[in-house]
Amino acid sequence: MIQNDVQLSGAHPTWWRAPSAATLLGLPLLVWEYGMFRADGCTGGIEVMILWGFALLAIAWALPHRRSLRMLRTTAAGAGLGCAFLPVLFAMLMAVAMTSG
């Protein structure tokens, strides 16, 4: 009876997979980046990207658990994960550029 009610209401049984995968990979990186760039007092684009990463991960968890919002939840989680990895990739590219010149 309960399973039929859940399926009729449109609830997605595995709604937590995309946000949890993105959070497990991205949240430690975002916290480390926030601590590193916040200590510098930098208010540039990297800090904004880190804050967007936190916000997108929070949105991925806060969306309703309906099957119709599965793609939006996955997109928000993926974008939050992308915002977590872009500052690291940017720093690596800058380091390569400085050592090659």
Side-chain angles (χ1 to χ4, degrees):
M1 179 81 176
I2 294 174
Q3 291 177 347
N4 291 339
D5 291 340
V6 169
Q7 290 177 354
L8 290 176
S9 68
H12 189 241
T14 58
W15 65 269
W16 51 270
R17 285 187 182 172
S20 65
T23 302
L24 286 175
L25 294 173
L27 191 63
L29 189 60
L30 282 171
V31 169
W32 175 72
E33 290 170 349
Y34 183 76
M36 185 174 64
F37 288 113
R38 190 68 172 166
D40 290 343
C42 177
T43 58
I46 293 177
E47 185 176 321
V48 171
M49 187 175 299
I50 293 168
L51 294 177
W52 268 100
F54 280 122
L56 286 168
L57 286 177
I59 288 170
W61 280 104
L63 284 171
H65 306 239
R66 292 194 300 260
R67 189 175 298 271
S68 62
L69 294 174
R70 176 175 47 188
M71 185 56 69
L72 184 60
R73 184 178 300 107
T74 304
T75 303
L81 188 60
C83 286
F85 280 111
L86 279 178
V88 172
L89 292 175
F90 180 69
M92 288 172 51
L93 286 174
M94 291 296 289
V96 168
M98 291 197 169
T99 57
S100 68

